[in-house]
Amino acid sequence: RFWEARKVWEQIQNRCRNMARIIANYVVGDDQMVLRVMQLLTAYPYSLKQHLRGQRNLEEMRRVLGERDIHLLEESSNMPQTLCMMLSLTVRKLLINATIENQFLWETLDRHIQELVTHIGASERLATTPVPLSYSRHTSRFLSIWTLTFPFFMASYCSPYISVFAYGFVCWALFGTEEVGHIIEEPFGIPRSKQKNG
């Protein structure tokens, strides 16, 4: 889960950078469109991060978006999807002057926007698919039983002082490893369910 989430996020970064490069280099004579697309692309990763964590902090996006966009995001149940819709409406202007170059440019940008929408779905799948509860419970029960019986094993091989130290270290190492495993199960940070319940 963690490695797949890293790959999805890498694809999101590369997709946004490629769109920014294309719009900056090949859209000539419409600086307003270029600026608009840049703003939306800058806001997209922030909105997706918050969407996956169940958060809603629009102050993070006020630095790059206007009040009208912020108002639309406030009413949206899926902020990154709304930003993709805004991107589509913005690049649609290329079809007004439907030259061959503009048509090709629009098709290229639209494919990138479609991929951004696909990344939303892939990220949601990773964030909302829970690790089986029985797996987590089995691991916790096994570690609890093992650590409870471990002192009896240590008593026959070590002095009491060494046993106490060794027991504390082993418990810290094993339960710490289990906690790290639970953290890795949530590749995008704070679980959405916990965020909502909190």
Side-chain angles (χ1 to χ4, degrees), residues 95 102-112 114:
L95 297 177
N102 281 354
Q103 179 73 26
F104 178 75
L105 181 58
W106 174 81
E107 290 176 357
T108 302
L109 292 172
D110 192 63
R111 280 197 299 271
H112 281 294
Q114 290 177 30

Side-chain angles (χ1 to χ4, degrees), residues 144-163:
S144 298
I145 294 172
W146 195 89
T147 52
L148 285 173
T149 57
F150 184 63
F152 298 103
F153 170 79
M154 292 288 294
S156 59
Y157 288 93
C158 304
S159 67
Y161 298 106
I162 296 177
S163 297

Side-chain angles (χ1 to χ4, degrees), residues 21-28 94 102 105:
R21 177 184 57 80
I22 292 169
I23 202 80
N25 285 286
Y26 298 110
V27 174
V28 181
L94 292 169
N102 281 354
L105 181 58

Side-chain angles (χ1 to χ4, degrees), residues 8-9 11-13 15-16 19 40-41 44-45 47-48 51-52 78-89 91 108-126:
V8 170
W9 201 259
Q11 292 169 357
I12 290 168
Q13 288 180 316
R15 191 74 57 183
C16 289
M19 280 194 69
L40 295 173
L41 287 175
Y44 177 85
S47 67
L48 181 58
H51 176 67
L52 295 172
N78 190 322
M79 293 192 295
Q81 180 70 38
T82 300
L83 287 175
C84 288
M85 290 293 295
M86 293 179 186
L87 281 169
S88 293
L89 290 173
V91 301
T108 302
L109 292 172
D110 192 63
R111 280 197 299 271
H112 281 294
I113 296 171
Q114 290 177 30
E115 288 300 320
L116 288 178
V117 174
T118 301
H119 294 325
I120 296 172
S123 301
E124 287 174 339
R125 174 178 55 81
L126 288 168

